[in-house]
Amino acid sequence: MKDNLIYNLGASILTFLLTVFITFWMTPLIITNLGTEAYGFIPLTQQVISILSVLTFALSSVIARFLAISISKGNNRKAEEYFNTYLVSTLFGAIIIIVIIVILITKINKLIDVPEYLLTDVKLAIFFGGTLVIITFINSLFLAGPFAVNKLYITKGIEAINAVTKGAAILLLLTVLSPKIWYINLAAMIAGVISLLLSIFFFKKLIPVIAINFKRFNLNILKELLSSGIWNSIGQIGVILFLSVEIILANIIFGASKAGVYGAMLQLPLLLRTVANITSSVFAPVIIKNYASKNMEALINYCNKSVKLNGLLIALPASLICGFAGSILNIWLGPEFVAHKWLLILSCAYLIITLSPLPLNHIFTAVNKLMFPGLATIMLGVINLILAISLSVYTNLGLYGIVLAGAISLIAKNVIFIPIYSSLVTNQPLRKYFVGLLYPIIGASFVIILSIIIQFYFQVNNFWDLMLAGTIITIGYILFSFFLLFNKEEKSYLLNIYKLFKKKI
């Protein structure tokens, strides 16, 4: 199990670093070629398309769990029924998604503010983005293979290849052809196809006993998957109200130009959220396995360690962005963006605590108690939408109102609801899963203070200055966390993992 944790977590960190590099390189490249206003429609169309994920999430969010449990029990026939039922369902789901994409393409200029010169490009971006949704829907089935056998480093490797392929395709399209915003979604679709082919290959290698056989389609299995995942899908509506409304509201309320500026800066907090989901997923197989074996003590201990470790991993990049916000914007996007540094700081600061508890979400999947999380997410998502409109329209906060609304709502959901509900479904005291939440705040405070001290004596004027300062702080953060934030048991555990890692290399 430790071996797999090393591979899974190591691959997640490498994928994170690669994603950071591509994001830092790609965003100014696109803005330089397309302009800020046009750039704003890249995240905007992606957020519009993400609404389609509601249609797929009911199945894609739970298939890995059912496959993993069936395989762990040696019930290959049941696993094959889950596999083929899901596969047949994706074919019908694809037809529905295609119809919605066509409607979106024909009505998009009535839904959001699109300049006439960008209308065709936006429509093409929606087409390629919608196609990617279908590819991702199918790919979720085959990515369940590495999850089922706890080899998530394979998934992370595929994600890394996806990121590199997407970045290379964007660079090629933007430099060889006349720049268009739909190149981004086209590149993502190409990378998605390659990821799907790789996922199919590894699925066959890891679980050769499962084969495509449409006769294994089982309506009762489909009902089981839907009844389990429907609350995830409802919860996904809430997630969309949390994440996707930000750039859409910015476009509708403040216009395409301001939305372009906001969309550019939003890439960093979105990156942090993506990375948190990647790292938190590493802990899912063990959480599900501990619950399946009814080892509640191990489940609780592992979950608290997961929250602590996930929080400390996210606290470092989030607090570095807060500490060097002005320098990052100046070096990354240009001097004209420095005036918005406090918007970036606020967008990232609250994520330090709100992203830490994400591993606990896998408890709900393990115990199959998804109704209340789904209802809570959609309720708080609606509150977020109302707050965002109220604070940005009826106060002088402007874009800060949208960010502040997200902070209030996400704290309520992740920091309050998730730990408490985790305690309820595992029959534990309500404070049981709050143990790991304090450590990321302490770690982030250390990084921010050190960032301020360094900038007092040292000017960060270019990328290499930023890298040097970041490296110094990262080393200090690792030492600070190891000696002051981890207990003896955790230190011993980490040292054992380090020894195993040295043997592997």
Side-chain angles (χ1 to χ4, degrees):
M1 187 179 294
K2 284 183 181 178
D3 283 12
N4 284 344
L5 179 62
I6 294 169
Y7 289 136
N8 294 344
L9 193 56
S12 295
I13 293 172
L14 287 175
T15 303
F16 159 68
L17 294 174
L18 183 62
T19 306
V20 169
F21 171 76
I22 291 174
T23 299
F24 264 81
W25 160 75
M26 188 173 66
T27 303
L29 173 69
I30 297 170
I31 289 176
T32 300
N33 282 276
L34 300 176
T36 303
E37 183 179 67
Y39 175 83
F41 285 95
I42 295 172
L44 180 61
T45 54
Q46 290 170 344
Q47 298 302 333
V48 170
I49 286 297
S50 71
I51 297 172
L52 293 175
S53 65
V54 175
L55 301 175
T56 68
F57 208 69
L59 292 175
S60 63
S61 63
V62 297
I63 183 60
R65 172 192 183 271
F66 285 97
L67 270 180
I69 291 176
S70 298
I71 290 169
S72 67
K73 292 180 178 179
N75 193 341
N76 293 333
R77 180 180 176 84
K78 190 78 169 179
E80 196 168 72
E81 287 183 340
Y82 284 123
F83 175 88
N84 284 286
T85 299
Y86 183 100
L87 188 60
V88 172
S89 301
T90 61
L91 301 179
F92 288 99
I95 295 172
I96 297 173
I97 292 172
I98 290 169
V99 172
I100 295 175
I101 291 170
V102 171
I103 295 173
L104 271 175
I105 288 173
T106 56
K107 302 292 184 181
I108 190 62
N109 58 322
K110 292 184 170 70
L111 298 174
I112 58 176
D113 176 26
V114 184
E116 189 64 32
Y117 77 98
L118 285 173
L119 186 58
T120 301
D121 286 358
V122 169
K123 289 181 177 181
L124 284 170
I126 291 173
F127 171 76
F128 290 119
T131 305
L132 178 62
V133 170
I134 296 172
I135 294 169
T136 304
F137 186 24
I138 299 170
N139 198 26
S140 296
L141 173 61
F142 296 99
L143 287 176
F147 181 94
V149 296
N150 194 17
K151 293 186 176 181
L152 291 180
Y153 57 88
I154 293 176
T155 303
K156 305 309 173 187
I158 293 173
E159 289 173 357
I161 293 171
N162 180 287
V164 172
T165 304
K166 179 181 175 181
I170 290 171
L171 177 61
L172 184 65
L173 289 168
L174 287 177
T175 53
V176 174
L177 303 176
S178 177
K180 302 288 183 181
I181 64 171
W182 53 268
Y183 291 169
I184 314 306
N185 285 357
L186 173 61
M189 188 192 76
I190 293 169
V193 171
I194 294 173
S195 296
L196 175 59
L197 295 175
L198 288 171
S199 300
I200 293 171
F201 171 80
F202 283 108
F203 188 96
K204 289 181 178 179
K205 288 287 184 182
L206 295 172
I207 316 178
V209 294
I210 295 180
I212 295 176
N213 183 355
F214 290 157
K215 292 181 180 179
R216 292 277 190 241
F217 174 84
N218 188 319
L219 189 58
N220 290 327
I221 292 289
L222 178 59
K223 290 177 181 177
E224 182 184 10
L225 291 171
L226 288 173
S227 64
S228 178
I230 189 64
W231 295 109
N232 278 344
S233 193
I234 290 173
Q236 186 66 7
I237 298 174
V239 170
I240 288 170
L241 291 173
F242 273 111
L243 303 182
S244 299
V245 299
E246 294 180 348
I247 187 67
I248 295 174
L249 282 179
N251 175 274
I252 294 172
I253 297 172
F254 302 108
S257 181
K258 278 195 174 182
V261 173
Y262 184 56
M265 288 193 303
L266 199 61
Q267 295 310 300
L268 293 181
L270 285 176
L271 177 63
L272 291 173
R273 297 183 195 212
T274 300
V275 170
N277 285 319
I278 290 172
T279 56
S280 65
S281 67
V282 168
F283 307 104
V286 177
I287 291 174
I288 292 174
K289 185 176 181 179
N290 283 332
Y291 178 78
S293 62
K294 304 302 179 184
N295 191 343
M296 295 305 296
E297 183 178 354
L299 174 69
I300 294 165
N301 289 335
Y302 188 81
C303 285
N304 279 324
K305 288 179 181 178
S306 300
V307 171
K308 182 176 180 178
L309 183 56
N310 189 65
L312 288 172
L313 286 171
I314 294 301
L316 176 60
S319 51
L320 280 173
I321 293 171
C322 292
F324 291 98
S327 298
I328 289 173
L329 289 174
N330 182 44
I331 296 165
W332 180 38
L333 298 177
E336 65 273 19
F337 282 86
V338 175
H340 304 287
K341 73 173 185 178
W342 286 105
L343 188 65
L344 178 60
I345 290 171
L346 179 60
S347 297
C348 294
Y350 74 89
L351 297 180
I352 293 168
I353 186 170
T354 57
L355 297 180
S356 301
L358 290 185
L360 297 179
N361 280 317
H362 301 298
I363 294 178
F364 311 148
T365 303
V367 302
N368 201 19
K369 299 285 186 180
L370 301 170
M371 182 178 73
F372 284 110
L375 291 174
T377 302
I378 195 169
M379 180 184 72
L380 290 168
V382 171
I383 291 172
N384 175 54
L385 178 61
I386 294 171
L387 278 175
I389 294 172
S390 301
L391 293 175
S392 59
V393 174
Y394 301 108
T395 72
N396 295 323
L397 292 172
L399 290 171
Y400 287 91
I402 297 176
V403 179
L404 186 59
I408 294 169
S409 305
L410 206 59
I411 288 172
K413 174 181 175 290
N414 288 4
V415 182
I416 299 174
F417 173 78
I418 288 179
I420 290 177
Y421 191 67
S422 296
S423 299
L424 292 175
V425 298
T426 54
N427 299 313
Q428 300 299 317
L430 295 183
R431 67 181 184 278
K432 199 69 176 182
Y433 294 101
F434 285 95
V435 175
L437 289 177
L438 180 62
Y439 298 95
I441 298 174
I442 297 172
S445 300
F446 171 82
V447 170
I448 292 172
I449 292 171
L450 198 54
S451 301
I452 294 171
I453 293 172
I454 286 177
Q455 290 178 94
F456 186 78
Y457 292 102
F458 178 70
Q459 290 294 319
V460 180
N461 296 318
N462 54 57
F463 175 78
W464 297 111
D465 290 344
L466 187 62
M467 286 293 293
L468 177 60
T471 302
I472 293 171
I473 292 174
T474 298
I475 294 171
Y477 178 78
I478 292 172
L479 295 174
F480 175 82
S481 299
F482 183 80
F483 288 108
L484 296 179
L485 300 183
F486 289 112
N487 58 37
K488 288 182 179 181
E489 179 188 350
E490 290 165 343
K491 288 178 184 177
S492 176
Y493 182 77
L494 290 172
L495 286 173
N496 287 335
I497 289 178
Y498 173 71
K499 290 175 183 177
L500 283 171
F501 179 74
K502 283 186 68 177
K503 288 181 181 178
K504 297 297 177 183
I505 58 174

